[in-house]
Amino acid sequence: MVSQELDYFRAIIQANMEPLAKVTEVSPVTSLEQKLGNHIWLKREDQQPVYSFKLRGAYNKLKQLPKGAQVVTASAGNHAQGVALSASHLGHTARIVMPVTTPEIKVNAVRNLGGEVILHGHHFDAANSYALEIAEKEGAVFVPPFDDKDVIIGQGTIARELMQQLPLLDAVFIPVGGGGLLAGMSIYLKSLRPDIKVIGVEAEDSACLKAAMEAGEPVELERVGSFADGVAVKIIGKETFRLAQKYCDDVITVSSDEICAAMQDIFVSTRAVAEPSGGLSLAGLKKWVSQTGAKGKNLAAILSGANLNFDRLRYVAERTALGEHNEALLAVTIKEEKGSFKSFCKALNGRSITEFNYRYTGPGDAEIFVGVGLRNGETELASLKQELSDKGYSFVDMTNNELAKLHVRYMVGGKPGEQLSERLFRFEFPEYPGALERFLDTLGANWNISLFHYRNHGAATGNVLAAFEVPEQDNAAFSEHLQRLAYAYQEETNNPCYQQFLSSKAHNLAQVANS
């Protein structure tokens, strides 16, 4: 071991987290052990006073400073609370710059822990730049959320406790945002037990470590997803990547649906309600077991946090069945005649219908959007599709279609009664009071909005589905207008789900499926 890594290892051994950060428990995930054929535990960092592991790194960083120090940081969540509590306990003053889009529950939590909150900018990058500006102007100490030696050492103490509690582990699954937790834990685990597998887990839409591993250096993602906001980081830290590259054995990415399913597993076994990033590592563990076929192993995942807005549970519940592969979403053509629905239900061979959307559009064929319960995951889905094909049904599998899951399942039956020159887009925008009104104002009135759908899931980012009447000769001007808006967007005009249920143009299911 080189001296730099040896310094990390020794510092993690010597780091004293008492009395602020507690030694957290390990809990068995009994609901999964028999199902997956492995021994599975959760390291319960949701038990920290701020309900997140972030307290460890912040506390270790601030302990190095003389009493009465002025500290500043930027964060929209768990790091902010860790810095605020640590500063109050150690006699420092802390200013936390948070985006104006930060949910009020998180702002109040920081204030209640003794931190001074400064609301600035509509996204983290703006808040972070302002915090660095304050630190430079006023000589305050900036506390990085992950790419800092003392922060990394603090996070590494989780591995020290875990090895004392479960010394015979075969693999540890660690959530990855900026990489501080993975860096600290991996260097300790591999120094003590080189044979143990260290596996980083990322959200598919925020996979900055995977991108860095492929490029051989940190690279900035164009955009990151908002669901697992605790790990929504565009670029991994330089030092955290250096350590991850050396000590991390593998990186697994998981979908939002798989995270939701893991959150349910955690609740069933522990009655703890994890935040999305808190369920991330267990989702990765489940996927790794499925991919490798591992049996009889001792596996641990880090339940990294439980700071969840309660209203987001609605979204989690909706997506859990899909994450567990217990539900299929299908667009099916049936005859517009008496008894056709009954015949379709019979064709499902006893499977439950979880959702059924239909609206009369005229004689001939009818298009339905249906959710079907599955008992045996993807294997049964393949059987169901074969059975429907054998019975002569035309259909499109929408189970993995994000537009279908996020919007269209709530909008089926909305075809206009006349032909429209329509283009469809998904937009993301910062969510705060008045944000939707501002979004609509920004879109302008140059083109008629012919479709609009919005659902608030209690996240920092709002999601809108909108269609515009754009004559062909206006396409260039419209595209320029979209670029000036500065909102993240994706065109969905050719999405088969839109073409089947919402577009004014007639499309055949088979043509859509092959487009």
Side-chain angles (χ1 to χ4, degrees):
M1 188 190 304
V2 299
S3 59
Q4 193 172 7
E5 274 70 26
L6 185 59
D7 288 344
Y8 269 114
F9 182 63
R10 288 172 175 166
I12 292 171
I13 292 175
Q14 297 169 1
N16 181 11
M17 293 289 100
E18 295 179 348
L20 198 57
K22 64 180 292 186
V23 175
T24 55
E25 301 171 2
V26 290
S27 299
V29 189
T30 53
S31 63
L32 285 181
E33 289 190 335
Q34 185 174 357
K35 179 180 178 181
L36 298 183
N38 293 279
H39 304 291
I40 302 170
W41 289 272
L42 289 171
K43 178 64 171 164
R44 298 287 304 279
E45 286 302 292
D46 60 304
Q47 295 177 342
Q48 293 295 353
V50 298
Y51 310 106
S52 163
F53 78 96
K54 286 285 189 177
L55 176 63
R56 294 177 184 260
Y59 185 45
N60 192 61
K61 175 70 175 177
L62 269 59
K63 281 180 65 177
Q64 318 304 318
L65 305 176
K67 190 172 182 178
Q70 294 186 22
V71 301
V72 63
T73 193
S75 171
N78 296 338
H79 178 62
Q81 295 182 52
V83 171
L85 180 58
S86 298
S88 296
H89 177 79
L90 294 167
H92 305 319
T93 58
R95 280 174 289 179
I96 318 293
V97 184
M98 309 181 82
V100 298
T101 58
T102 306
E104 187 174 357
I105 186 174
K106 294 185 177 182
V107 173
N108 290 337
V110 172
R111 287 174 174 155
N112 291 338
L113 292 170
E116 176 189 345
V117 175
I118 300 173
L119 297 175
H120 181 88
H122 286 89
H123 50 76
F124 172 76
D125 291 339
N128 194 58
S129 295
Y130 191 59
L132 289 168
E133 184 181 323
I134 292 174
E136 183 177 354
K137 283 184 177 179
E138 302 184 16
V141 177
F142 181 75
V143 184
F146 48 83
D147 203 21
D148 176 271
K149 181 178 179 180
D150 293 323
V151 171
I152 292 170
I153 290 167
Q155 320 301 31
T157 60
I158 298 175
R160 184 186 71 193
E161 292 176 13
L162 187 60
M163 286 292 91
Q164 293 169 350
Q165 293 164 320
L166 301 169
L168 300 179
L169 286 174
D170 296 300
V172 179
F173 296 79
I174 303 169
V176 182
L181 180 61
L182 177 66
M185 290 192 65
S186 64
I187 194 170
Y188 185 89
L189 292 169
K190 286 294 189 179
S191 299
L192 192 67
R193 285 266 314 280
D195 62 306
I196 200 169
K197 285 190 177 296
V198 175
I199 299 171
V201 185
E202 293 187 290
E204 286 178 348
D205 52 10
S206 303
C208 62
L209 174 57
K210 181 180 179 182
M213 289 290 198
E214 292 173 351
E217 61 181 0
V219 293
E220 185 171 351
L221 303 177
E222 183 177 348
R223 62 172 61 96
V224 294
S226 60
F227 176 59
D229 52 357
V231 292
V233 177
K234 284 189 173 182
I235 184 169
I236 197 165
K238 292 181 179 179
E239 178 65 0
T240 56
F241 174 66
R242 184 185 73 82
L243 294 171
Q245 193 176 34
K246 185 175 291 188
Y247 295 108
C248 178
D249 294 296
D250 196 7
V251 181
I252 288 181
T253 62
V254 294
S255 68
S256 294
D257 292 348
E258 289 168 328
I259 293 172
C260 291
M263 292 169 67
Q264 176 180 256
D265 293 322
I266 291 171
F267 177 78
V268 170
S269 289
T270 67
R271 292 301 186 265
V273 180
E275 63 186 270
S277 57
L280 184 63
S281 60
L282 184 62
L285 183 155
K286 292 170 62 180
K287 192 166 189 176
W288 180 83
V289 170
S290 175
Q291 291 175 345
T292 63
K295 297 292 182 183
K297 301 294 185 181
N298 296 310
L299 311 174
I302 311 303
L303 200 177
S304 57
N307 285 305
L308 178 71
N309 290 349
F310 190 77
D311 53 2
R312 299 196 75 188
L313 289 174
R314 176 180 59 187
Y315 175 86
V316 173
E318 289 172 355
R319 303 294 286 256
T320 294
L322 294 170
E324 287 283 14
H325 306 292
N326 289 334
E327 183 183 31
L329 300 179
L330 303 174
V332 186
T333 300
I334 64 175
K335 293 294 183 181
E336 184 60 76
E337 61 186 21
K338 184 177 180 180
S340 60
F341 177 44
K342 183 177 180 180
S343 296
F344 174 72
C345 292
K346 187 176 180 181
L348 296 178
N349 291 327
R351 298 179 180 92
S352 63
I353 292 178
T354 59
E355 185 169 355
F356 186 89
N357 293 286
Y358 156 75
R359 183 179 175 186
Y360 179 80
T361 56
D365 290 336
E367 311 294 351
I368 63 172
F369 186 96
V370 61
V372 182
L374 303 175
R375 295 178 292 273
N376 194 24
E378 293 180 344
T379 300
E380 186 176 359
L381 175 57
S383 299
L384 170 62
K385 290 161 71 172
Q386 185 61 54
E387 291 167 16
L388 291 177
S389 294
D390 291 344
K391 291 180 172 68
Y393 285 100
S394 296
F395 62 87
V396 176
D397 182 4
M398 300 288 184
T399 307
N400 294 316
N401 188 307
E402 192 65 21
L403 180 64
K405 293 185 287 187
L406 191 61
H407 290 288
V408 174
R409 69 188 301 177
Y410 308 105
M411 301 174 65
V412 170
K415 288 186 180 181
E418 60 185 83
Q419 294 288 318
L420 300 176
S421 297
E422 196 175 61
R423 292 177 66 182
L424 183 74
F425 293 85
R426 274 196 293 153
F427 292 91
E428 291 184 357
F429 61 93
E431 182 68 90
Y432 57 96
L436 182 58
E437 182 178 353
R438 179 179 179 275
F439 174 80
L440 290 169
D441 288 341
T442 308
L443 286 181
N446 294 330
W447 294 275
N448 181 52
I449 298 175
S450 53
L451 178 153
F452 197 86
H453 183 243
Y454 163 72
R455 296 187 81 217
N456 186 318
H457 290 297
T461 302
N463 292 285
V464 158
L465 181 70
F468 304 83
E469 288 188 69
V470 184
E472 187 173 351
Q473 65 269 22
D474 285 2
N475 278 335
F478 183 77
S479 296
E480 291 178 3
H481 181 69
L482 287 179
Q483 294 299 324
R484 291 196 300 270
L485 290 181
Y487 288 116
Y489 71 90
Q490 180 174 334
E491 184 163 7
E492 298 281 10
T493 305
N494 293 323
N495 190 299
C497 197
Y498 162 69
Q499 297 285 1
Q500 189 63 35
F501 290 105
L502 302 173
S503 174
S504 62
K505 299 181 177 66
H507 286 264
N508 180 277
L509 267 172
Q511 292 175 337
V512 172
N514 294 324
S515 63

mmCIF file with all atom_site columns, all heavy atoms in Angstrom, residues 60-81:
data_model
loop_
_atom_site.group_PDB
_atom_site.id
_atom_site.type_symbol
_atom_site.label_atom_id
_atom_site.label_alt_id
_atom_site.label_comp_id
_atom_site.label_asym_id
_atom_site.label_entity_id
_atom_site.label_seq_id
_atom_site.pdbx_PDB_ins_code
_atom_site.Cartn_x
_atom_site.Cartn_y
_atom_site.Cartn_z
_atom_site.occupancy
_atom_site.B_iso_or_equiv
_atom_site.pdbx_formal_charge
_atom_site.auth_seq_id
_atom_site.auth_comp_id
_atom_site.auth_asym_id
_atom_site.auth_atom_id
_atom_site.pdbx_PDB_model_num
ATOM 1   N N   . ASN A 1 60 ? -16.202 15.087 10.693 1.00 0.00 ? 60 ASN A N   1
ATOM 2   C CA  . ASN A 1 60 ? -14.757 14.883 10.687 1.00 0.00 ? 60 ASN A CA  1
ATOM 3   C C   . ASN A 1 60 ? -14.021 16.081 10.100 1.00 0.00 ? 60 ASN A C   1
ATOM 4   O O   . ASN A 1 60 ? -12.938 16.456 10.565 1.00 0.00 ? 60 ASN A O   1
ATOM 5   C CB  . ASN A 1 60 ? -14.402 13.623 9.904  1.00 0.00 ? 60 ASN A CB  1
ATOM 6   C CG  . ASN A 1 60 ? -12.963 13.210 10.098 1.00 0.00 ? 60 ASN A CG  1
ATOM 7   O OD1 . ASN A 1 60 ? -12.539 12.922 11.219 1.00 0.00 ? 60 ASN A OD1 1
ATOM 8   N ND2 . ASN A 1 60 ? -12.194 13.194 9.020  1.00 0.00 ? 60 ASN A ND2 1
ATOM 9   N N   . LYS A 1 61 ? -14.597 16.719 9.083  1.00 0.00 ? 61 LYS A N   1
ATOM 10  C CA  . LYS A 1 61 ? -13.989 17.903 8.484  1.00 0.00 ? 61 LYS A CA  1
ATOM 11  C C   . LYS A 1 61 ? -13.968 19.063 9.472  1.00 0.00 ? 61 LYS A C   1
ATOM 12  O O   . LYS A 1 61 ? -12.943 19.723 9.664  1.00 0.00 ? 61 LYS A O   1
ATOM 13  C CB  . LYS A 1 61 ? -14.778 18.290 7.233  1.00 0.00 ? 61 LYS A CB  1
ATOM 14  C CG  . LYS A 1 61 ? -14.338 19.590 6.570  1.00 0.00 ? 61 LYS A CG  1
ATOM 15  C CD  . LYS A 1 61 ? -12.987 19.453 5.918  1.00 0.00 ? 61 LYS A CD  1
ATOM 16  C CE  . LYS A 1 61 ? -12.626 20.723 5.151  1.00 0.00 ? 61 LYS A CE  1
ATOM 17  N NZ  . LYS A 1 61 ? -11.267 20.632 4.557  1.00 0.00 ? 61 LYS A NZ  1
ATOM 18  N N   . LEU A 1 62 ? -15.101 19.310 10.117 1.00 0.00 ? 62 LEU A N   1
ATOM 19  C CA  . LEU A 1 62 ? -15.207 20.471 10.999 1.00 0.00 ? 62 LEU A CA  1
ATOM 20  C C   . LEU A 1 62 ? -14.443 20.285 12.308 1.00 0.00 ? 62 LEU A C   1
ATOM 21  O O   . LEU A 1 62 ? -14.076 21.273 12.962 1.00 0.00 ? 62 LEU A O   1
ATOM 22  C CB  . LEU A 1 62 ? -16.679 20.790 11.277 1.00 0.00 ? 62 LEU A CB  1
ATOM 23  C CG  . LEU A 1 62 ? -17.327 21.791 10.307 1.00 0.00 ? 62 LEU A CG  1
ATOM 24  C CD1 . LEU A 1 62 ? -17.274 21.284 8.870  1.00 0.00 ? 62 LEU A CD1 1
ATOM 25  C CD2 . LEU A 1 62 ? -18.774 22.075 10.702 1.00 0.00 ? 62 LEU A CD2 1
ATOM 26  N N   . LYS A 1 63 ? -14.189 19.026 12.691 1.00 0.00 ? 63 LYS A N   1
ATOM 27  C CA  . LYS A 1 63 ? -13.407 18.776 13.916 1.00 0.00 ? 63 LYS A CA  1
ATOM 28  C C   . LYS A 1 63 ? -11.968 19.249 13.780 1.00 0.00 ? 63 LYS A C   1
ATOM 29  O O   . LYS A 1 63 ? -11.286 19.480 14.785 1.00 0.00 ? 63 LYS A O   1
ATOM 30  C CB  . LYS A 1 63 ? -13.401 17.272 14.231 1.00 0.00 ? 63 LYS A CB  1
ATOM 31  C CG  . LYS A 1 63 ? -14.671 16.777 14.901 1.00 0.00 ? 63 LYS A CG  1
ATOM 32  C CD  . LYS A 1 63 ? -14.597 15.291 15.192 1.00 0.00 ? 63 LYS A CD  1
ATOM 33  C CE  . LYS A 1 63 ? -13.512 14.975 16.199 1.00 0.00 ? 63 LYS A CE  1
ATOM 34  N NZ  . LYS A 1 63 ? -13.483 13.539 16.545 1.00 0.00 ? 63 LYS A NZ  1
ATOM 35  N N   . GLN A 1 64 ? -11.485 19.392 12.560 1.00 0.00 ? 64 GLN A N   1
ATOM 36  C CA  . GLN A 1 64 ? -10.111 19.806 12.345 1.00 0.00 ? 64 GLN A CA  1
ATOM 37  C C   . GLN A 1 64 ? -9.922  21.316 12.506 1.00 0.00 ? 64 GLN A C   1
ATOM 38  O O   . GLN A 1 64 ? -8.785  21.801 12.516 1.00 0.00 ? 64 GLN A O   1
ATOM 39  C CB  . GLN A 1 64 ? -9.638  19.403 10.937 1.00 0.00 ? 64 GLN A CB  1
ATOM 40  C CG  . GLN A 1 64 ? -10.062 18.010 10.466 1.00 0.00 ? 64 GLN A CG  1
ATOM 41  C CD  . GLN A 1 64 ? -9.653  16.901 11.401 1.00 0.00 ? 64 GLN A CD  1
ATOM 42  O OE1 . GLN A 1 64 ? -8.545  16.892 11.934 1.00 0.00 ? 64 GLN A OE1 1
ATOM 43  N NE2 . GLN A 1 64 ? -10.557 15.950 11.627 1.00 0.00 ? 64 GLN A NE2 1
ATOM 44  N N   . LEU A 1 65 ? -11.024 22.066 12.615 1.00 0.00 ? 65 LEU A N   1
ATOM 45  C CA  . LEU A 1 65 ? -10.958 23.525 12.646 1.00 0.00 ? 65 LEU A CA  1
ATOM 46  C C   . LEU A 1 65 ? -10.951 24.056 14.076 1.00 0.00 ? 65 LEU A C   1
ATOM 47  O O   . LEU A 1 65 ? -11.514 23.434 14.983 1.00 0.00 ? 65 LEU A O   1
ATOM 48  C CB  . LEU A 1 65 ? -12.169 24.115 11.901 1.00 0.00 ? 65 LEU A CB  1
ATOM 49  C CG  . LEU A 1 65 ? -12.387 23.637 10.461 1.00 0.00 ? 65 LEU A CG  1
ATOM 50  C CD1 . LEU A 1 65 ? -13.677 24.239 9.902  1.00 0.00 ? 65 LEU A CD1 1
ATOM 51  C CD2 . LEU A 1 65 ? -11.205 23.989 9.585  1.00 0.00 ? 65 LEU A CD2 1
ATOM 52  N N   . PRO A 1 66 ? -10.324 25.224 14.292 1.00 0.00 ? 66 PRO A N   1
ATOM 53  C CA  . PRO A 1 66 ? -10.369 25.838 15.630 1.00 0.00 ? 66 PRO A CA  1
ATOM 54  C C   . PRO A 1 66 ? -11.776 26.294 15.967 1.00 0.00 ? 66 PRO A C   1
ATOM 55  O O   . PRO A 1 66 ? -12.558 26.668 15.071 1.00 0.00 ? 66 PRO A O   1
ATOM 56  C CB  . PRO A 1 66 ? -9.413  27.029 15.495 1.00 0.00 ? 66 PRO A CB  1
ATOM 57  C CG  . PRO A 1 66 ? -9.388  27.344 14.034 1.00 0.00 ? 66 PRO A CG  1
ATOM 58  C CD  . PRO A 1 66 ? -9.543  26.025 13.333 1.00 0.00 ? 66 PRO A CD  1
ATOM 59  N N   . LYS A 1 67 ? -12.112 26.274 17.242 1.00 0.00 ? 67 LYS A N   1
ATOM 60  C CA  . LYS A 1 67 ? -13.452 26.644 17.672 1.00 0.00 ? 67 LYS A CA  1
ATOM 61  C C   . LYS A 1 67 ? -13.779 28.067 17.233 1.00 0.00 ? 67 LYS A C   1
ATOM 62  O O   . LYS A 1 67 ? -12.946 28.958 17.286 1.00 0.00 ? 67 LYS A O   1
ATOM 63  C CB  . LYS A 1 67 ? -13.582 26.524 19.192 1.00 0.00 ? 67 LYS A CB  1
ATOM 64  C CG  . LYS A 1 67 ? -15.011 26.671 19.694 1.00 0.00 ? 67 LYS A CG  1
ATOM 65  C CD  . LYS A 1 67 ? -15.122 26.349 21.172 1.00 0.00 ? 67 LYS A CD  1
ATOM 66  C CE  . LYS A 1 67 ? -16.571 26.452 21.634 1.00 0.00 ? 67 LYS A CE  1
ATOM 67  N NZ  . LYS A 1 67 ? -16.726 26.097 23.077 1.00 0.00 ? 67 LYS A NZ  1
ATOM 68  N N   . GLY A 1 68 ? -15.019 28.252 16.801 1.00 0.00 ? 68 GLY A N   1
ATOM 69  C CA  . GLY A 1 68 ? -15.459 29.564 16.356 1.00 0.00 ? 68 GLY A CA  1
ATOM 70  C C   . GLY A 1 68 ? -15.207 29.834 14.887 1.00 0.00 ? 68 GLY A C   1
ATOM 71  O O   . GLY A 1 68 ? -15.378 30.968 14.422 1.00 0.00 ? 68 GLY A O   1
ATOM 72  N N   . ALA A 1 69 ? -14.818 28.803 14.145 1.00 0.00 ? 69 ALA A N   1
ATOM 73  C CA  . ALA A 1 69 ? -14.551 28.979 12.723 1.00 0.00 ? 69 ALA A CA  1
ATOM 74  C C   . ALA A 1 69 ? -15.838 29.300 11.964 1.00 0.00 ? 69 ALA A C   1
ATOM 75  O O   . ALA A 1 69 ? -16.926 28.899 12.365 1.00 0.00 ? 69 ALA A O   1
ATOM 76  C CB  . ALA A 1 69 ? -13.906 27.730 12.146 1.00 0.00 ? 69 ALA A CB  1
ATOM 77  N N   . GLN A 1 70 ? -15.682 30.045 10.881 1.00 0.00 ? 70 GLN A N   1
ATOM 78  C CA  . GLN A 1 70 ? -16.804 30.318 9.992  1.00 0.00 ? 70 GLN A CA  1
ATOM 79  C C   . GLN A 1 70 ? -16.719 29.350 8.810  1.00 0.00 ? 70 GLN A C   1
ATOM 80  O O   . GLN A 1 70 ? -15.697 29.306 8.128  1.00 0.00 ? 70 GLN A O   1
ATOM 81  C CB  . GLN A 1 70 ? -16.762 31.755 9.477  1.00 0.00 ? 70 GLN A CB  1
ATOM 82  C CG  . GLN A 1 70 ? -16.972 32.798 10.551 1.00 0.00 ? 70 GLN A CG  1
ATOM 83  C CD  . GLN A 1 70 ? -17.067 34.208 9.974  1.00 0.00 ? 70 GLN A CD  1
ATOM 84  O OE1 . GLN A 1 70 ? -17.383 34.375 8.800  1.00 0.00 ? 70 GLN A OE1 1
ATOM 85  N NE2 . GLN A 1 70 ? -16.806 35.200 10.811 1.00 0.00 ? 70 GLN A NE2 1
ATOM 86  N N   . VAL A 1 71 ? -17.785 28.586 8.605  1.00 0.00 ? 71 VAL A N   1
ATOM 87  C CA  . VAL A 1 71 ? -17.792 27.613 7.508  1.00 0.00 ? 71 VAL A CA  1
ATOM 88  C C   . VAL A 1 71 ? -18.956 27.919 6.579  1.00 0.00 ? 71 VAL A C   1
ATOM 89  O O   . VAL A 1 71 ? -19.979 28.484 6.992  1.00 0.00 ? 71 VAL A O   1
ATOM 90  C CB  . VAL A 1 71 ? -17.882 26.162 8.021  1.00 0.00 ? 71 VAL A CB  1
ATOM 91  C CG1 . VAL A 1 71 ? -16.708 25.838 8.936  1.00 0.00 ? 71 VAL A CG1 1
ATOM 92  C CG2 . VAL A 1 71 ? -19.201 25.896 8.731  1.00 0.00 ? 71 VAL A CG2 1
ATOM 93  N N   . VAL A 1 72 ? -18.791 27.528 5.324  1.00 0.00 ? 72 VAL A N   1
ATOM 94  C CA  . VAL A 1 72 ? -19.832 27.731 4.332  1.00 0.00 ? 72 VAL A CA  1
ATOM 95  C C   . VAL A 1 72 ? -19.837 26.540 3.389  1.00 0.00 ? 72 VAL A C   1
ATOM 96  O O   . VAL A 1 72 ? -18.787 25.936 3.127  1.00 0.00 ? 72 VAL A O   1
ATOM 97  C CB  . VAL A 1 72 ? -19.613 29.049 3.548  1.00 0.00 ? 72 VAL A CB  1
ATOM 98  C CG1 . VAL A 1 72 ? -18.308 29.013 2.759  1.00 0.00 ? 72 VAL A CG1 1
ATOM 99  C CG2 . VAL A 1 72 ? -20.786 29.331 2.612  1.00 0.00 ? 72 VAL A CG2 1
ATOM 100 N N   . THR A 1 73 ? -21.006 26.174 2.935  1.00 0.00 ? 73 THR A N   1
ATOM 101 C CA  . THR A 1 73 ? -21.118 25.083 1.966  1.00 0.00 ? 73 THR A CA  1
ATOM 102 C C   . THR A 1 73 ? -22.360 25.303 1.116  1.00 0.00 ? 73 THR A C   1
ATOM 103 O O   . THR A 1 73 ? -23.162 26.194 1.378  1.00 0.00 ? 73 THR A O   1
ATOM 104 C CB  . THR A 1 73 ? -21.182 23.712 2.658  1.00 0.00 ? 73 THR A CB  1
ATOM 105 O OG1 . THR A 1 73 ? -20.973 22.676 1.684  1.00 0.00 ? 73 THR A OG1 1
ATOM 106 C CG2 . THR A 1 73 ? -22.509 23.488 3.353  1.00 0.00 ? 73 THR A CG2 1
ATOM 107 N N   . ALA A 1 74 ? -22.490 24.493 0.093  1.00 0.00 ? 74 ALA A N   1
ATOM 108 C CA  . ALA A 1 74 ? -23.684 24.509 -0.747 1.00 0.00 ? 74 ALA A CA  1
ATOM 109 C C   . ALA A 1 74 ? -24.256 23.106 -0.781 1.00 0.00 ? 74 ALA A C   1
ATOM 110 O O   . ALA A 1 74 ? -23.538 22.131 -0.965 1.00 0.00 ? 74 ALA A O   1
ATOM 111 C CB  . ALA A 1 74 ? -23.349 24.968 -2.167 1.00 0.00 ? 74 ALA A CB  1
ATOM 112 N N   . SER A 1 75 ? -25.551 23.010 -0.580 1.00 0.00 ? 75 SER A N   1
ATOM 113 C CA  . SER A 1 75 ? -26.204 21.708 -0.594 1.00 0.00 ? 75 SER A CA  1
ATOM 114 C C   . SER A 1 75 ? -27.705 21.915 -0.598 1.00 0.00 ? 75 SER A C   1
ATOM 115 O O   . SER A 1 75 ? -28.203 22.883 -0.026 1.00 0.00 ? 75 SER A O   1
ATOM 116 C CB  . SER A 1 75 ? -25.799 20.872 0.625  1.00 0.00 ? 75 SER A CB  1
ATOM 117 O OG  . SER A 1 75 ? -26.576 19.696 0.716  1.00 0.00 ? 75 SER A OG  1
ATOM 118 N N   . ALA A 1 76 ? -28.401 20.978 -1.240 1.00 0.00 ? 76 ALA A N   1
ATOM 119 C CA  . ALA A 1 76 ? -29.863 21.022 -1.212 1.00 0.00 ? 76 ALA A CA  1
ATOM 120 C C   . ALA A 1 76 ? -30.428 19.941 -0.309 1.00 0.00 ? 76 ALA A C   1
ATOM 121 O O   . ALA A 1 76 ? -31.626 19.714 -0.288 1.00 0.00 ? 76 ALA A O   1
ATOM 122 C CB  . ALA A 1 76 ? -30.421 20.852 -2.623 1.00 0.00 ? 76 ALA A CB  1
ATOM 123 N N   . GLY A 1 77 ? -29.571 19.257 0.451  1.00 0.00 ? 77 GLY A N   1
ATOM 124 C CA  . GLY A 1 77 ? -30.092 18.131 1.208  1.00 0.00 ? 77 GLY A CA  1
ATOM 125 C C   . GLY A 1 77 ? -29.258 17.691 2.387  1.00 0.00 ? 77 GLY A C   1
ATOM 126 O O   . GLY A 1 77 ? -28.991 18.459 3.322  1.00 0.00 ? 77 GLY A O   1
ATOM 127 N N   . ASN A 1 78 ? -28.804 16.439 2.342  1.00 0.00 ? 78 ASN A N   1
ATOM 128 C CA  . ASN A 1 78 ? -28.220 15.783 3.501  1.00 0.00 ? 78 ASN A CA  1
ATOM 129 C C   . ASN A 1 78 ? -26.899 16.397 3.965  1.00 0.00 ? 78 ASN A C   1
ATOM 130 O O   . ASN A 1 78 ? -26.628 16.480 5.153  1.00 0.00 ? 78 ASN A O   1
ATOM 131 C CB  . ASN A 1 78 ? -28.025 14.296 3.205  1.00 0.00 ? 78 ASN A CB  1
ATOM 132 C CG  . ASN A 1 78 ? -29.345 13.583 2.979  1.00 0.00 ? 78 ASN A CG  1
ATOM 133 O OD1 . ASN A 1 78 ? -30.395 14.044 3.425  1.00 0.00 ? 78 ASN A OD1 1
ATOM 134 N ND2 . ASN A 1 78 ? -29.314 12.464 2.267  1.00 0.00 ? 78 ASN A ND2 1
ATOM 135 N N   . HIS A 1 79 ? -26.048 16.813 3.025  1.00 0.00 ? 79 HIS A N   1
ATOM 136 C CA  . HIS A 1 79 ? -24.778 17.442 3.401  1.00 0.00 ? 79 HIS A CA  1
ATOM 137 C C   . HIS A 1 79 ? -25.033 18.718 4.186  1.00 0.00 ? 79 HIS A C   1
ATOM 138 O O   . HIS A 1 79 ? -24.327 19.009 5.165  1.00 0.00 ? 79 HIS A O   1
ATOM 139 C CB  . HIS A 1 79 ? -23.950 17.721 2.148  1.00 0.00 ? 79 HIS A CB  1
ATOM 140 C CG  . HIS A 1 79 ? -22.649 18.413 2.410  1.00 0.00 ? 79 HIS A CG  1
ATOM 141 N ND1 . HIS A 1 79 ? -21.647 17.838 3.174  1.00 0.00 ? 79 HIS A ND1 1
ATOM 142 C CD2 . HIS A 1 79 ? -22.173 19.633 2.020  1.00 0.00 ? 79 HIS A CD2 1
ATOM 143 C CE1 . HIS A 1 79 ? -20.605 18.654 3.229  1.00 0.00 ? 79 HIS A CE1 1
ATOM 144 N NE2 . HIS A 1 79 ? -20.902 19.755 2.549  1.00 0.00 ? 79 HIS A NE2 1
ATOM 145 N N   . ALA A 1 80 ? -26.036 19.477 3.778  1.00 0.00 ? 80 ALA A N   1
ATOM 146 C CA  . ALA A 1 80 ? -26.376 20.720 4.470  1.00 0.00 ? 80 ALA A CA  1
ATOM 147 C C   . ALA A 1 80 ? -26.708 20.460 5.934  1.00 0.00 ? 80 ALA A C   1
ATOM 148 O O   . ALA A 1 80 ? -26.241 21.169 6.836  1.00 0.00 ? 80 ALA A O   1
ATOM 149 C CB  . ALA A 1 80 ? -27.560 21.391 3.772  1.00 0.00 ? 80 ALA A CB  1
ATOM 150 N N   . GLN A 1 81 ? -27.503 19.427 6.186  1.00 0.00 ? 81 GLN A N   1
ATOM 151 C CA  . GLN A 1 81 ? -27.889 19.121 7.556  1.00 0.00 ? 81 GLN A CA  1
ATOM 152 C C   . GLN A 1 81 ? -26.698 18.624 8.371  1.00 0.00 ? 81 GLN A C   1
ATOM 153 O O   . GLN A 1 81 ? -26.564 18.928 9.559  1.00 0.00 ? 81 GLN A O   1
ATOM 154 C CB  . GLN A 1 81 ? -29.012 18.080 7.549  1.00 0.00 ? 81 GLN A CB  1
ATOM 155 C CG  . GLN A 1 81 ? -30.292 18.606 6.914  1.00 0.00 ? 81 GLN A CG  1
ATOM 156 C CD  . GLN A 1 81 ? -31.422 17.601 6.940  1.00 0.00 ? 81 GLN A CD  1
ATOM 157 O OE1 . GLN A 1 81 ? -31.751 17.055 7.990  1.00 0.00 ? 81 GLN A OE1 1
ATOM 158 N NE2 . GLN A 1 81 ? -32.011 17.340 5.786  1.00 0.00 ? 81 GLN A NE2 1
#
